[in-house]
Amino acid sequence: MNSLSCKQIERRSCISLEAFIRDYFLCESPVILSGCIEHWPARTKWKDIKYLQSIAGDRTIPVQVTTCTCRH
């Protein structure tokens, strides 16, 4: 197993899916992504408890838990 303790992890802001796949995913290289979800409505809507009550009410929302299939 390769240690990341001495490796500087690159930080990128809003890269394209193609760039992420080419530069990081295929190379199995870690990267910290920032600013990629700023436009998602959930970032503001889900903070509002009245909004959540209006769409979910008293319903129980199922959550699926899976195991990690990552290679170590």
Side-chain angles (χ1 to χ4, degrees):
M1 177 159 79
N2 295 333
S3 172
L4 296 176
S5 62
C6 297
K7 184 174 182 174
Q8 184 74 16
I9 298 177
E10 199 171 332
R11 181 180 295 268
R12 296 287 306 270
S13 177
C14 265
I15 63 172
S16 68
L17 176 60
E18 293 80 11
F20 170 75
I21 291 172
R22 178 190 65 235
D23 299 339
Y24 301 99
F25 183 77
L26 294 176
C27 302
E28 297 183 352
S29 181
V31 62
I32 299 170
L33 301 174
S34 62
C36 298
I37 62 168
E38 303 302 317
H39 63 285
W40 287 8
R43 292 194 72 237
T44 55
K45 287 183 175 181
W46 292 4
K47 291 180 185 178
D48 181 359
I49 191 68
K50 290 183 188 210
Y51 170 77
L52 292 175
Q53 287 174 333
S54 73
I55 62 164
D58 293 330
R59 285 182 276 173
T60 299
I61 308 299
V63 176
Q64 181 178 0
V65 179
T66 61
T67 58
C68 177
T69 58
C70 306
R71 288 185 283 158
H72 296 281

